[in-house]
Amino acid sequence: MTITTGSLLTASFSAVMIFSFSAGADDPGPMSDKGGKVVDEAPGGVKLATSLPEKISVDNSSEKTAITATVENGGTKESGAIRLLVVGFDGLTVNNVEGCTKIAEADLPEGSNSGYACGIDNLAAGKSKSYAVDATFDLKKEGKICLPVQSTDGKKTFWQQGPVPFGANNPSPNAPATPLLLGTDNTPVTPGGDEAGGGGSGDGSGGEELPRTGPADQVLPLGAVGAALISAGAAGLWWTQRRPGRDGV
């Protein structure tokens, strides 16, 4: 019995150690709502917001990275049905969001390269929901991500974080991985370690500017949609606009 009890204790201890390690590995670390703001007023008692990791890491050989996107209701009443969009820009491409539906290319917001829509039936007061985002990041470009929280029909955007950049001021292309910080413009580099010229818009055209968020709260024109955004005077309304000749998300 002593031997059996000892074996059981050892097995239990091993299980606890494995569980603890797994939980720690999934921990995204400190999160931040940097670059986020309320756009349309949410229903009374509902306070929606999102957060992203303050730091991510990009594998320099595969360009793969993992991002945790979290939406929370800090209000006193349940949210009802809402949706979260996870959209990539420039060098950051969203390849998959667990439990969400890919947005067709024709329905992507202007200037973006990829996106997923996550339907949420209801988010109780004080609760949050996190999504595992698989992405790639081309370190030769700047890269941004955007998290709008909308009504299910997309007519209202209760909150929008971004497009906010991830980046590094001093990339190390010859290292195994490059750490990127939220709210930091990436300094593009070539595989040899030299800074790439300009950075550009990431789509090869070099002619479009994207709206940015942050301390300066700068909104730059983005074609007709950008003009509508500036006229409205509220960052994020462009998410509810339809692209010419395309249906809404």
Side-chain angles (χ1 to χ4, degrees):
M1 289 186 64
T2 300
I3 295 173
T4 302
T5 302
S7 299
L8 288 173
L9 287 173
T10 300
S12 299
F13 179 76
S14 298
V16 170
M17 290 295 289
I18 293 172
F19 176 79
S20 299
F21 176 80
S22 298
D26 294 334
D27 184 0
M31 303 284 284
S32 172
D33 63 357
K34 180 180 293 185
K37 63 165 57 179
V38 173
V39 181
D40 295 315
E41 185 177 355
V46 178
K47 187 178 180 182
L48 298 167
T50 60
S51 58
L52 290 161
E54 292 183 356
K55 181 179 178 180
I56 63 173
S57 181
V58 177
D59 185 288
N60 285 345
S61 58
S62 66
E63 298 186 341
K64 291 182 178 180
T65 186
I67 304 171
T68 300
T70 298
V71 56
E72 61 181 343
N73 179 8
T76 57
K77 294 184 178 180
E78 58 187 23
S79 69
I82 55 175
R83 69 178 183 180
L84 169 72
L85 302 185
V86 182
V87 185
F89 293 81
D90 299 341
L92 194 157
T93 302
V94 179
N95 298 317
N96 187 55
V97 181
E98 187 176 2
C100 302
T101 303
K102 186 175 182 178
I103 300 173
E105 183 178 353
D107 296 330
L108 286 171
E110 189 74 24
S112 63
N113 58 42
S114 55
Y116 281 74
C118 309
I120 302 172
D121 292 334
N122 186 52
L123 194 58
K127 298 298 183 180
S128 64
K129 186 174 179 64
S130 293
Y131 293 88
V133 180
D134 291 329
T136 52
F137 196 113
D138 184 348
L139 294 170
K140 297 187 293 296
K141 303 175 182 178
E142 294 185 354
K144 305 178 186 72
I145 191 169
C146 193
L147 304 180
V149 183
Q150 301 181 329
S151 57
T152 54
D153 59 8
K155 293 183 178 180
K156 289 190 175 182
T157 299
F158 302 122
W159 168 272
Q160 180 171 305
Q161 184 176 10
V164 62
F166 274 104
N169 292 325
N170 298 300
S172 302
N174 299 318
T178 297
L180 302 181
L181 300 178
L182 181 66
T184 302
D185 286 325
N186 191 49
T187 302
V189 296
T190 63
D194 297 328
E195 292 187 4
S201 64
D203 59 2
S205 65
E208 291 186 342
E209 295 284 357
L210 297 175
R212 296 186 181 186
T213 58
D217 200 23
Q218 182 181 16
V219 180
L220 302 176
L222 184 65
V225 178
L229 167 62
I230 294 173
S231 299
L237 290 181
W238 65 289
W239 287 102
T240 65
Q241 303 293 325
R242 291 186 175 183
R243 301 177 67 175
R246 298 182 176 183
D247 295 330
V249 175

